[in-house]
Amino acid sequence: MLYEQHGLLRLVYKFEAYLPKPARDWIDQKLRDFRVLLIENGILAESDSSSSESKAVVNARNAVKVAQDDLNSLQTQLQDHKEDLHKDYGVDGVFRVLKGQCVSKDSGEYNYDLCWLDTIRQKSKKGGGETGLGNFVRIDSVEVDEGVSADGKGLGTGRRVTLRYENGQHCWNGPNRSTLVVLACAEKDEIWKVAEEEKCVYRMEVGTPAVCEVTAGNGGQKGGQGKDEL
Ligand code: MAN
């Protein structure tokens, strides 16, 4: 098709040489128009462009590039989801829904932000930037024997689920900041207490429904805590 059109154009150009000037000009103009039409329809490549590819080829190449980029991004997402499926989100994956959500607490000179399975941050009320108190590393548990305050906000006695956050901002003349979050069953997510037990080593007592044991139904849940224990 393309070859035939080129052949035709050449023939017309040859024949043109024998015609009077006005007829030549007319044919010239018609040929120019025809070329433009072919270029616009992606059949002929623009001869003065740096690339010798037709518009249709360029468009197809761009479409392939876009589709390839989409595929790469989906493959990365798939890989992330596969890795996420192997992460520990606690008994029955209770922490999966909380991931990324945060709870805050105003305590002494600072405000604290606990983001579930993500980071913990401290911000001075006097201004300045935030200080990282650790990045989530694992779910664990610890034995506690502590009272419960009159408002029910306390760890009580028994094994409690913990979240360990490590490798926070480096402490001048000390370690990288780290935090142990000890959880107890409560009706809503709430930081009850923050303590800096040693320099740059923090401990948070936090209430959350995520560690309340389901007493009715599917049983077999471990590491939780019934509301009746409060
Ligand atoms: C900041 C805070 C404190 C910490 C000191 C250590 O002021 O992170 O909690 O004790 O730095 O220099």
Side-chain angles (χ1 to χ4, degrees), residues 138-198:
R138 66 178 170 275
I139 300 174
D140 225 324
S141 69
V142 69
E143 202 70 43
V144 297
D145 185 4
E146 294 180 27
V148 177
S149 60
D151 55 8
K153 296 175 179 178
L155 298 178
T157 302
R159 185 149 286 275
R160 298 290 174 259
V161 176
T162 59
L163 304 178
R164 181 159 283 285
Y165 290 71
E166 284 172 1
N167 225 3
Q169 196 167 311
H170 187 72
C171 188
W172 186 74
N173 249 347
N176 285 344
R177 289 172 174 79
S178 64
T179 308
L180 181 68
V181 178
V182 188
L183 302 172
C185 169
E187 274 174 25
K188 58 172 183 158
D189 295 335
E190 189 180 8
I191 300 173
W192 290 330
K193 191 174 157 191
V194 183
E196 192 172 342
E197 300 205 304
E198 286 169 46

Short mmCIF file of all heavy atoms in Angstrom, two decimals, residues 138-198:
data_model
loop_
_atom_site.label_atom_id
_atom_site.label_comp_id
_atom_site.label_asym_id
_atom_site.label_seq_id
_atom_site.Cartn_x
_atom_site.Cartn_y
_atom_site.Cartn_z
N ARG A 138 7.71 -5.93 65.87
CA ARG A 138 7.00 -7.20 66.07
C ARG A 138 5.94 -7.14 67.17
O ARG A 138 5.96 -6.26 68.02
CB ARG A 138 7.99 -8.33 66.37
CG ARG A 138 8.70 -8.18 67.68
CD ARG A 138 9.65 -9.35 67.98
NE ARG A 138 10.44 -8.97 69.14
CZ ARG A 138 11.56 -8.26 69.07
NH1 ARG A 138 12.02 -7.88 67.88
NH2 ARG A 138 12.21 -7.94 70.15
N ILE A 139 5.07 -8.16 67.09
CA ILE A 139 4.05 -8.37 68.13
C ILE A 139 4.61 -9.41 69.09
O ILE A 139 5.21 -10.40 68.65
CB ILE A 139 2.74 -8.89 67.51
CG1 ILE A 139 2.20 -7.88 66.50
CG2 ILE A 139 1.70 -9.17 68.60
CD1 ILE A 139 0.99 -8.37 65.72
N ASP A 140 4.44 -9.20 70.37
CA ASP A 140 4.97 -10.10 71.38
C ASP A 140 4.02 -10.11 72.56
O ASP A 140 2.89 -9.62 72.45
CB ASP A 140 6.35 -9.58 71.82
CG ASP A 140 7.35 -10.72 71.88
OD1 ASP A 140 6.93 -11.82 72.27
OD2 ASP A 140 8.53 -10.49 71.55
N SER A 141 4.48 -10.59 73.73
CA SER A 141 3.63 -10.50 74.92
C SER A 141 4.52 -10.41 76.16
O SER A 141 5.72 -10.73 76.11
CB SER A 141 2.70 -11.71 75.00
OG SER A 141 3.44 -12.87 75.27
N VAL A 142 3.92 -9.97 77.26
CA VAL A 142 4.66 -9.81 78.50
C VAL A 142 3.71 -10.10 79.67
O VAL A 142 2.49 -9.90 79.54
CB VAL A 142 5.27 -8.38 78.59
CG1 VAL A 142 4.19 -7.33 78.78
CG2 VAL A 142 6.30 -8.26 79.68
N GLU A 143 4.30 -10.60 80.76
CA GLU A 143 3.50 -10.87 81.96
C GLU A 143 3.45 -9.59 82.79
O GLU A 143 4.48 -8.99 83.04
CB GLU A 143 4.20 -12.00 82.74
CG GLU A 143 3.33 -12.78 83.69
CD GLU A 143 2.30 -13.67 82.99
OE1 GLU A 143 2.65 -14.34 81.99
OE2 GLU A 143 1.16 -13.67 83.47
N VAL A 144 2.28 -9.16 83.17
CA VAL A 144 2.20 -7.94 84.00
C VAL A 144 1.42 -8.22 85.28
O VAL A 144 0.61 -9.16 85.35
CB VAL A 144 1.51 -6.75 83.26
CG1 VAL A 144 2.30 -6.31 82.06
CG2 VAL A 144 0.08 -7.09 82.89
N ASP A 145 1.71 -7.43 86.28
CA ASP A 145 0.98 -7.54 87.55
C ASP A 145 0.81 -6.12 88.07
O ASP A 145 1.62 -5.63 88.85
CB ASP A 145 1.77 -8.43 88.53
CG ASP A 145 0.98 -8.67 89.80
OD1 ASP A 145 -0.19 -8.23 89.88
OD2 ASP A 145 1.53 -9.30 90.73
N GLU A 146 -0.17 -5.46 87.54
CA GLU A 146 -0.38 -4.06 87.89
C GLU A 146 -1.85 -3.84 88.21
O GLU A 146 -2.72 -4.55 87.72
CB GLU A 146 0.04 -3.16 86.72
CG GLU A 146 1.53 -3.25 86.47
CD GLU A 146 1.98 -2.38 85.32
OE1 GLU A 146 1.33 -1.38 85.04
OE2 GLU A 146 3.01 -2.74 84.71
N GLY A 147 -2.09 -2.86 88.99
CA GLY A 147 -3.47 -2.57 89.37
C GLY A 147 -4.23 -1.93 88.22
O GLY A 147 -3.68 -1.67 87.16
N VAL A 148 -5.50 -1.75 88.45
CA VAL A 148 -6.34 -1.06 87.49
C VAL A 148 -6.92 0.14 88.21
O VAL A 148 -7.41 0.03 89.33
CB VAL A 148 -7.48 -1.99 87.01
CG1 VAL A 148 -8.40 -1.25 86.06
CG2 VAL A 148 -6.91 -3.22 86.35
N SER A 149 -6.82 1.31 87.54
CA SER A 149 -7.33 2.51 88.20
C SER A 149 -8.86 2.48 88.24
O SER A 149 -9.50 1.67 87.55
CB SER A 149 -6.83 3.75 87.46
OG SER A 149 -7.30 3.69 86.15
N ALA A 150 -9.42 3.37 89.05
CA ALA A 150 -10.87 3.39 89.25
C ALA A 150 -11.64 3.53 87.93
O ALA A 150 -12.72 2.98 87.77
CB ALA A 150 -11.22 4.53 90.20
N ASP A 151 -11.01 4.24 86.96
CA ASP A 151 -11.71 4.42 85.68
C ASP A 151 -11.50 3.22 84.72
O ASP A 151 -11.89 3.28 83.56
CB ASP A 151 -11.25 5.73 85.01
CG ASP A 151 -9.73 5.79 84.83
OD1 ASP A 151 -9.06 4.77 85.09
OD2 ASP A 151 -9.23 6.86 84.44
N GLY A 152 -10.89 2.15 85.25
CA GLY A 152 -10.73 0.94 84.43
C GLY A 152 -9.57 1.02 83.45
O GLY A 152 -9.37 0.14 82.62
N LYS A 153 -8.76 2.10 83.55
CA LYS A 153 -7.67 2.26 82.59
C LYS A 153 -6.36 1.76 83.18
O LYS A 153 -5.60 2.53 83.79
CB LYS A 153 -7.56 3.73 82.18
CG LYS A 153 -8.81 4.20 81.45
CD LYS A 153 -8.78 5.66 81.15
CE LYS A 153 -10.04 6.07 80.39
NZ LYS A 153 -10.08 7.51 80.12
N GLY A 154 -6.11 0.49 83.04
CA GLY A 154 -4.87 -0.08 83.56
C GLY A 154 -4.67 -1.47 82.99
O GLY A 154 -5.59 -2.06 82.41
N LEU A 155 -3.45 -2.00 83.15
CA LEU A 155 -3.12 -3.27 82.50
C LEU A 155 -3.64 -4.49 83.24
O LEU A 155 -3.76 -5.57 82.66
CB LEU A 155 -1.60 -3.38 82.34
CG LEU A 155 -0.93 -2.31 81.46
CD1 LEU A 155 0.57 -2.52 81.42
CD2 LEU A 155 -1.50 -2.33 80.04
N GLY A 156 -3.92 -4.36 84.56
CA GLY A 156 -4.39 -5.51 85.35
C GLY A 156 -3.29 -6.53 85.55
O GLY A 156 -2.10 -6.19 85.56
N THR A 157 -3.68 -7.79 85.65
CA THR A 157 -2.71 -8.86 85.91
C THR A 157 -2.87 -9.97 84.87
O THR A 157 -3.99 -10.35 84.55
CB THR A 157 -2.96 -9.44 87.32
OG1 THR A 157 -2.83 -8.37 88.25
CG2 THR A 157 -1.95 -10.53 87.66
N GLY A 158 -1.75 -10.47 84.38
CA GLY A 158 -1.79 -11.56 83.41
C GLY A 158 -0.89 -11.28 82.22
O GLY A 158 -0.09 -10.35 82.24
N ARG A 159 -1.02 -12.13 81.16
CA ARG A 159 -0.19 -11.96 79.96
C ARG A 159 -0.84 -10.93 79.05
O ARG A 159 -2.05 -11.01 78.78
CB ARG A 159 -0.01 -13.31 79.26
CG ARG A 159 0.93 -13.27 78.07
CD ARG A 159 1.66 -14.57 77.85
NE ARG A 159 2.73 -14.80 78.81
CZ ARG A 159 3.98 -14.33 78.71
NH1 ARG A 159 4.32 -13.57 77.69
NH2 ARG A 159 4.87 -14.59 79.63
N ARG A 160 -0.07 -9.97 78.62
CA ARG A 160 -0.61 -8.91 77.77
C ARG A 160 0.15 -8.84 76.45
O ARG A 160 1.37 -9.03 76.42
CB ARG A 160 -0.48 -7.54 78.48
CG ARG A 160 -1.26 -7.44 79.78
CD ARG A 160 -2.78 -7.41 79.50
NE ARG A 160 -3.54 -7.45 80.75
CZ ARG A 160 -4.14 -8.55 81.22
NH1 ARG A 160 -4.06 -9.70 80.56
NH2 ARG A 160 -4.83 -8.51 82.34
N VAL A 161 -0.57 -8.53 75.40
CA VAL A 161 0.04 -8.40 74.06
C VAL A 161 0.88 -7.12 74.04
O VAL A 161 0.48 -6.10 74.58
CB VAL A 161 -1.06 -8.31 72.98
CG1 VAL A 161 -0.46 -8.08 71.59
CG2 VAL A 161 -1.92 -9.56 72.98
N THR A 162 2.07 -7.20 73.43
CA THR A 162 2.92 -6.00 73.30
C THR A 162 3.26 -5.74 71.83
O THR A 162 3.30 -6.67 71.02
CB THR A 162 4.25 -6.15 74.08
OG1 THR A 162 4.94 -7.29 73.56
CG2 THR A 162 4.04 -6.31 75.57
N LEU A 163 3.51 -4.49 71.54
CA LEU A 163 4.01 -4.10 70.21
C LEU A 163 5.35 -3.44 70.43
O LEU A 163 5.46 -2.51 71.23
CB LEU A 163 3.06 -3.09 69.55
CG LEU A 163 1.60 -3.50 69.40
CD1 LEU A 163 0.79 -2.37 68.78
CD2 LEU A 163 1.47 -4.76 68.54
N ARG A 164 6.36 -3.97 69.77
CA ARG A 164 7.70 -3.39 69.97
C ARG A 164 8.08 -2.48 68.80
O ARG A 164 7.94 -2.87 67.63
CB ARG A 164 8.73 -4.51 70.16
CG ARG A 164 10.11 -3.97 70.40
CD ARG A 164 11.02 -4.96 71.05
NE ARG A 164 10.79 -5.12 72.48
CZ ARG A 164 11.15 -4.25 73.43
NH1 ARG A 164 11.72 -3.11 73.10
NH2 ARG A 164 10.93 -4.51 74.69
N TYR A 165 8.51 -1.28 69.13
CA TYR A 165 8.96 -0.29 68.14
C TYR A 165 10.43 0.00 68.42
O TYR A 165 10.78 0.32 69.56
CB TYR A 165 8.17 1.01 68.27
CG TYR A 165 6.72 0.91 67.84
CD1 TYR A 165 5.78 0.20 68.59
CD2 TYR A 165 6.27 1.56 66.69
CE1 TYR A 165 4.45 0.13 68.20
CE2 TYR A 165 4.94 1.50 66.30
CZ TYR A 165 4.04 0.79 67.05
OH TYR A 165 2.73 0.72 66.66
N GLU A 166 11.27 -0.13 67.40
CA GLU A 166 12.71 0.09 67.60
C GLU A 166 13.28 1.03 66.55
O GLU A 166 12.61 1.36 65.58
CB GLU A 166 13.45 -1.26 67.53
CG GLU A 166 13.25 -2.06 68.80
CD GLU A 166 13.80 -3.47 68.72
OE1 GLU A 166 14.36 -3.85 67.66
OE2 GLU A 166 13.64 -4.20 69.70
N ASN A 167 14.56 1.35 66.80
CA ASN A 167 15.32 2.13 65.82
C ASN A 167 14.70 3.50 65.53
O ASN A 167 14.64 3.93 64.38
CB ASN A 167 15.45 1.32 64.53
CG ASN A 167 16.86 1.39 64.01
OD1 ASN A 167 17.73 2.00 64.65
ND2 ASN A 167 17.08 0.80 62.86
N GLY A 168 14.28 4.18 66.58
CA GLY A 168 13.80 5.56 66.42
C GLY A 168 14.98 6.51 66.33
O GLY A 168 16.13 6.07 66.16
N GLN A 169 14.70 7.79 66.49
CA GLN A 169 15.75 8.81 66.36
C GLN A 169 16.85 8.59 67.39
O GLN A 169 16.56 8.27 68.55
CB GLN A 169 15.13 10.18 66.53
CG GLN A 169 16.02 11.29 66.03
CD GLN A 169 15.24 12.58 65.95
OE1 GLN A 169 14.13 12.62 65.38
NE2 GLN A 169 15.77 13.64 66.50
N HIS A 170 18.08 8.77 66.96
CA HIS A 170 19.21 8.53 67.85
C HIS A 170 19.20 9.51 69.02
O HIS A 170 18.89 10.69 68.86
CB HIS A 170 20.52 8.63 67.08
CG HIS A 170 21.70 8.25 67.89
ND1 HIS A 170 21.95 6.93 68.23
CD2 HIS A 170 22.66 8.98 68.48
CE1 HIS A 170 23.04 6.90 68.99
NE2 HIS A 170 23.49 8.13 69.14
N CYS A 171 19.51 9.00 70.19
CA CYS A 171 19.51 9.80 71.40
C CYS A 171 20.93 10.28 71.68
O CYS A 171 21.86 9.47 71.67
CB CYS A 171 19.03 8.88 72.52
SG CYS A 171 18.72 9.68 74.07
N TRP A 172 21.09 11.56 71.89
CA TRP A 172 22.43 12.10 72.12
C TRP A 172 23.03 11.40 73.33
O TRP A 172 22.40 11.32 74.40
CB TRP A 172 22.36 13.61 72.35
CG TRP A 172 23.70 14.24 72.45
CD1 TRP A 172 24.57 14.48 71.43
CD2 TRP A 172 24.35 14.69 73.64
NE1 TRP A 172 25.71 15.04 71.90
CE2 TRP A 172 25.61 15.20 73.26
CE3 TRP A 172 23.98 14.72 75.00
CZ2 TRP A 172 26.51 15.73 74.18
CZ3 TRP A 172 24.87 15.25 75.92
CH2 TRP A 172 26.13 15.75 75.51
N ASN A 173 24.22 10.84 73.19
CA ASN A 173 24.87 10.10 74.28
C ASN A 173 24.06 8.90 74.75
O ASN A 173 24.11 8.53 75.92
CB ASN A 173 25.07 11.03 75.48
CG ASN A 173 26.53 11.33 75.67
OD1 ASN A 173 27.39 10.66 75.08
ND2 ASN A 173 26.84 12.32 76.51
N GLY A 174 23.30 8.32 73.88
CA GLY A 174 22.46 7.19 74.29
C GLY A 174 22.13 6.31 73.09
O GLY A 174 22.75 6.42 72.04
N PRO A 175 21.12 5.42 73.25
CA PRO A 175 20.76 4.51 72.14
C PRO A 175 19.81 5.17 71.15
O PRO A 175 19.40 6.32 71.36
CB PRO A 175 20.01 3.39 72.90
CG PRO A 175 19.34 4.12 74.03
CD PRO A 175 20.25 5.26 74.42
N ASN A 176 19.44 4.44 70.12
CA ASN A 176 18.33 4.89 69.27
C ASN A 176 17.06 4.73 70.10
O ASN A 176 16.93 3.75 70.84
CB ASN A 176 18.23 4.02 68.01
CG ASN A 176 19.32 4.34 67.02
OD1 ASN A 176 19.97 5.38 67.12
ND2 ASN A 176 19.52 3.45 66.07
N ARG A 177 16.16 5.66 69.98
CA ARG A 177 14.95 5.60 70.80
C ARG A 177 14.13 4.34 70.47
O ARG A 177 14.05 3.94 69.31
CB ARG A 177 14.11 6.86 70.61
CG ARG A 177 14.73 8.09 71.25
CD ARG A 177 13.96 9.34 70.86
NE ARG A 177 14.43 10.54 71.54
CZ ARG A 177 15.51 11.22 71.20
NH1 ARG A 177 16.25 10.83 70.17
NH2 ARG A 177 15.86 12.31 71.87
N SER A 178 13.51 3.76 71.50
CA SER A 178 12.65 2.58 71.29
C SER A 178 11.47 2.63 72.27
O SER A 178 11.56 3.29 73.31
CB SER A 178 13.45 1.29 71.49
OG SER A 178 13.88 1.22 72.83
N THR A 179 10.41 1.95 71.90
CA THR A 179 9.20 1.98 72.74
C THR A 179 8.56 0.60 72.81
O THR A 179 8.43 -0.09 71.80
CB THR A 179 8.15 2.97 72.14
OG1 THR A 179 8.79 4.23 71.91
CG2 THR A 179 6.96 3.16 73.06
N LEU A 180 8.13 0.24 74.02
CA LEU A 180 7.34 -0.98 74.18
C LEU A 180 5.91 -0.55 74.49
O LEU A 180 5.66 0.18 75.46
CB LEU A 180 7.89 -1.82 75.35
CG LEU A 180 7.13 -3.14 75.56
CD1 LEU A 180 7.38 -4.10 74.40
CD2 LEU A 180 7.51 -3.80 76.87
N VAL A 181 4.98 -1.00 73.66
CA VAL A 181 3.57 -0.67 73.87
C VAL A 181 2.90 -1.90 74.48
O VAL A 181 2.92 -2.98 73.89
CB VAL A 181 2.89 -0.32 72.52
CG1 VAL A 181 1.41 -0.01 72.72
CG2 VAL A 181 3.59 0.86 71.87
N VAL A 182 2.35 -1.74 75.68
CA VAL A 182 1.68 -2.86 76.34
C VAL A 182 0.17 -2.63 76.24
O VAL A 182 -0.33 -1.55 76.60
CB VAL A 182 2.11 -2.98 77.83
CG1 VAL A 182 1.56 -4.27 78.43
CG2 VAL A 182 3.63 -2.95 77.95
N LEU A 183 -0.53 -3.63 75.73
CA LEU A 183 -1.95 -3.45 75.42
C LEU A 183 -2.88 -4.16 76.40
O LEU A 183 -2.56 -5.24 76.91
CB LEU A 183 -2.23 -4.00 74.01
CG LEU A 183 -1.42 -3.37 72.88
CD1 LEU A 183 -1.64 -4.14 71.59
CD2 LEU A 183 -1.80 -1.91 72.71
N ALA A 184 -4.01 -3.54 76.66
CA ALA A 184 -5.04 -4.18 77.47
C ALA A 184 -6.39 -3.92 76.83
O ALA A 184 -6.57 -2.93 76.10
CB ALA A 184 -5.00 -3.61 78.89
N CYS A 185 -7.31 -4.84 77.10
CA CYS A 185 -8.65 -4.73 76.49
C CYS A 185 -9.38 -3.48 76.98
O CYS A 185 -9.40 -3.17 78.17
CB CYS A 185 -9.43 -5.99 76.87
SG CYS A 185 -11.17 -5.91 76.49
N ALA A 186 -9.95 -2.73 76.05
CA ALA A 186 -10.74 -1.55 76.40
C ALA A 186 -11.76 -1.31 75.29
O ALA A 186 -11.63 -1.87 74.20
CB ALA A 186 -9.82 -0.33 76.53
N GLU A 187 -12.73 -0.46 75.59
CA GLU A 187 -13.78 -0.24 74.59
C GLU A 187 -13.32 0.59 73.42
O GLU A 187 -13.86 0.50 72.32
CB GLU A 187 -14.99 0.42 75.26
CG GLU A 187 -15.90 -0.63 75.87
CD GLU A 187 -17.04 -0.04 76.67
OE1 GLU A 187 -17.42 1.11 76.38
OE2 GLU A 187 -17.52 -0.73 77.57
N LYS A 188 -12.34 1.47 73.65
CA LYS A 188 -11.84 2.27 72.50
C LYS A 188 -10.31 2.37 72.56
O LYS A 188 -9.72 2.15 73.64
CB LYS A 188 -12.48 3.66 72.51
CG LYS A 188 -12.24 4.44 73.77
CD LYS A 188 -12.72 5.86 73.60
CE LYS A 188 -12.40 6.62 74.87
NZ LYS A 188 -12.32 7.99 74.84
N ASP A 189 -9.71 2.73 71.42
CA ASP A 189 -8.25 2.90 71.37
C ASP A 189 -7.88 4.14 72.17
O ASP A 189 -8.39 5.23 71.89
CB ASP A 189 -7.80 3.09 69.91
CG ASP A 189 -8.05 1.86 69.06
OD1 ASP A 189 -8.10 0.75 69.63
OD2 ASP A 189 -8.19 2.01 67.83
N GLU A 190 -6.99 3.97 73.15
CA GLU A 190 -6.61 5.12 73.98
C GLU A 190 -5.25 4.88 74.63
O GLU A 190 -5.00 3.81 75.19
CB GLU A 190 -7.68 5.31 75.07
CG GLU A 190 -7.51 6.59 75.85
CD GLU A 190 -8.58 6.77 76.93
OE1 GLU A 190 -9.37 5.84 77.19
OE2 GLU A 190 -8.60 7.85 77.52
N ILE A 191 -4.37 5.89 74.53
CA ILE A 191 -3.08 5.80 75.25
C ILE A 191 -3.37 6.23 76.68
O ILE A 191 -3.83 7.35 76.91
CB ILE A 191 -2.02 6.73 74.60
CG1 ILE A 191 -1.78 6.36 73.14
CG2 ILE A 191 -0.71 6.67 75.40
CD1 ILE A 191 -0.88 7.33 72.37
N TRP A 192 -3.12 5.34 77.63
CA TRP A 192 -3.41 5.66 79.03
C TRP A 192 -2.22 6.35 79.70
O TRP A 192 -2.39 7.27 80.47
CB TRP A 192 -3.75 4.38 79.81
CG TRP A 192 -5.06 3.77 79.43
CD1 TRP A 192 -6.16 4.42 78.98
CD2 TRP A 192 -5.40 2.37 79.48
NE1 TRP A 192 -7.18 3.53 78.75
CE2 TRP A 192 -6.74 2.26 79.04
CE3 TRP A 192 -4.70 1.20 79.82
CZ2 TRP A 192 -7.41 1.04 78.96
CZ3 TRP A 192 -5.36 -0.01 79.75
CH2 TRP A 192 -6.70 -0.10 79.31
N LYS A 193 -1.04 5.84 79.39
CA LYS A 193 0.13 6.33 80.12
C LYS A 193 1.39 6.24 79.25
O LYS A 193 1.57 5.26 78.51
CB LYS A 193 0.31 5.43 81.36
CG LYS A 193 1.30 5.92 82.37
CD LYS A 193 1.23 4.99 83.59
CE LYS A 193 2.51 5.05 84.39
NZ LYS A 193 2.58 3.99 85.40
N VAL A 194 2.26 7.25 79.33
CA VAL A 194 3.55 7.19 78.64
C VAL A 194 4.62 7.43 79.69
O VAL A 194 4.52 8.36 80.48
CB VAL A 194 3.68 8.28 77.56
CG1 VAL A 194 5.00 8.13 76.80
CG2 VAL A 194 2.50 8.24 76.59
N ALA A 195 5.65 6.57 79.70
CA ALA A 195 6.75 6.76 80.65
C ALA A 195 8.07 6.60 79.92
O ALA A 195 8.19 5.77 79.00
CB ALA A 195 6.64 5.73 81.77
N GLU A 196 9.06 7.42 80.29
CA GLU A 196 10.41 7.23 79.75
C GLU A 196 11.17 6.52 80.85
O GLU A 196 11.65 7.13 81.80
CB GLU A 196 11.03 8.59 79.41
CG GLU A 196 12.29 8.46 78.60
CD GLU A 196 12.82 9.79 78.07
OE1 GLU A 196 12.07 10.78 78.04
OE2 GLU A 196 14.00 9.82 77.69
N GLU A 197 11.22 5.19 80.74
CA GLU A 197 11.74 4.36 81.84
C GLU A 197 13.24 4.54 82.04
O GLU A 197 13.73 4.55 83.16
CB GLU A 197 11.41 2.90 81.58
CG GLU A 197 9.91 2.70 81.48
CD GLU A 197 9.51 1.30 81.82
OE1 GLU A 197 10.04 0.38 81.17
OE2 GLU A 197 8.68 1.13 82.72
N GLU A 198 13.95 4.61 80.93
CA GLU A 198 15.37 4.99 80.94
C GLU A 198 15.48 6.05 79.87
O GLU A 198 14.55 6.19 79.07
CB GLU A 198 16.24 3.81 80.51
CG GLU A 198 16.39 2.71 81.52
CD GLU A 198 17.06 1.51 80.86
OE1 GLU A 198 18.07 1.71 80.14
OE2 GLU A 198 16.57 0.39 81.04
#
